[in-house]
Amino acid sequence: VAALADDGRRTGAAGAAGPKVCRAENYQRFIGRNRSELPTMPADESWRVLCSTCAATMDYREDRLTIAYDTATNIIQSARCG
């Protein structure tokens, strides 16, 4: 059975550290708000903030938070892992 360690890393049954998760649930409150309201990215997290029509790589990284905003309004549309 996997669990989360205190620092957000996924651990297995033996307690071995696995990959970090993106914690997208912590940023859902920013959806509908201006991207200028985002806090500074914590040093132990990986983010990318892109406009909804901008080109982006399609690689999926479960430890990276992807925040998408509307180009015309700068309003955040989504915050998800990837």
Side-chain angles (χ1 to χ4, degrees):
V1 176
L4 287 179
D6 289 340
D7 64 359
R9 292 176 297 140
R10 192 169 300 282
T11 60
K20 292 177 80 169
V21 293
C22 81
R23 302 180 195 163
E25 66 279 1
N26 294 342
Y27 298 94
Q28 298 304 303
R29 68 182 183 273
F30 292 101
I31 295 174
R33 294 166 64 179
N34 193 289
R35 71 181 179 129
S36 66
E37 297 181 44
L38 285 170
T40 302
M41 180 181 68
D44 66 338
E45 293 185 16
S46 175
W47 293 7
R48 65 178 176 176
V49 180
L50 350 138
C51 73
S52 57
T53 58
C54 293
T57 60
M58 297 302 294
D59 61 317
Y60 181 83
R61 290 184 34 205
E62 70 179 29
D63 68 324
R64 179 177 59 200
L65 175 65
T66 298
I67 299 171
Y69 66 91
D70 182 89
T71 308
T73 63
N74 281 329
I75 300 298
I76 297 171
Q77 296 179 325
S78 67
R80 58 185 167 71
C81 296

